[in-house]
Amino acid sequence: MSDVLSFGNPVFQQFAFYSGLVIGKTLLMGPITSFFRLSHDTYSNEEDCKLSKDKSLKPRFNDLTVERIRRCHQNDVENVVPFVLFGLFYVATEPYPEVASILFRTFAASRFLHTACYMVPLPQPSRFVCFLTGVGVTGAMAFRVFMTSSM
């Protein structure tokens, strides 16, 4: 059990890789939001408005592009954090490597597709299906954690 959360464990290796992908994507959403805030002169704080050439600018929260990116980022945070936390516990349950790999890949794919659906934007229910897929993966891992830890 001591080597379960090490890179000597192929399940942990897979988890670290796919977690790294979705965490990296989540981290990129902040600079992307900032880029669009700057390019659209849409700031959320008084002091940020001073970055604009237009010194009379006031904070505003109604730019559709900026809000779409911000909501996508928020959704990432709300879903990636539970995946990573439950994923660590899930790896500790010593799952079948093939099943774990499918879950990790499915979650990562669902988050990247969710972002694509948000940014394009694609019609619903495409984004909802991607969201639900990721939640389902996290739920499946949580179920195994709770079943394993309650025995």
Side-chain angles (χ1 to χ4, degrees):
M1 178 73 165
S2 64
D3 292 336
V4 171
L5 297 180
S6 75
F7 284 99
N9 177 358
V11 174
F12 182 77
Q13 282 181 334
Q14 290 266 314
F15 173 70
F17 177 77
Y18 288 104
S19 292
L21 285 179
V22 294
I23 291 169
K25 186 190 84 58
T26 301
L27 289 173
L28 281 175
M29 295 305 293
I32 291 169
T33 304
S34 295
F35 171 79
F36 280 96
R37 281 193 188 282
L38 291 169
S39 65
H40 289 215
D41 269 345
T42 302
Y43 305 100
S44 56
N45 299 300
E46 288 281 339
E47 63 272 15
D48 297 339
C49 292
K50 295 176 184 168
L51 297 172
S52 175
K53 293 176 184 172
D54 180 1
K55 300 303 177 194
S56 65
L57 205 61
K58 298 288 182 205
R60 53 183 206 148
F61 304 93
N62 59 354
D63 184 279
L64 296 178
T65 302
V66 171
E67 285 303 303
R68 179 171 285 280
I69 296 166
R70 190 190 60 72
R71 286 191 308 270
C72 183
H73 186 198
Q74 181 177 347
N75 191 277
D76 269 350
V77 171
E78 292 169 354
N79 288 276
V80 170
V81 171
F83 168 78
V84 170
L85 293 174
F86 273 115
L88 283 171
F89 296 137
Y90 175 74
V91 170
T93 69
E94 301 184 56
Y96 292 114
E98 298 81 13
V99 174
S101 181
I102 290 168
L103 290 174
F104 302 154
R105 289 175 182 173
T106 300
F107 183 85
S110 76
R111 294 314 304 166
F112 278 93
L113 289 171
H114 181 269
T115 297
C117 292
Y118 233 127
M119 302 310 284
V120 169
L122 295 177
Q124 285 287 28
S126 57
R127 192 176 76 232
F128 178 70
V129 169
C130 293
F131 164 77
L132 204 57
T133 301
V135 168
V137 167
T138 303
M141 291 189 312
F143 180 77
R144 177 165 171 101
V145 167
F146 291 131
M147 293 306 292
T148 303
S149 64
S150 67
M151 293 180 170

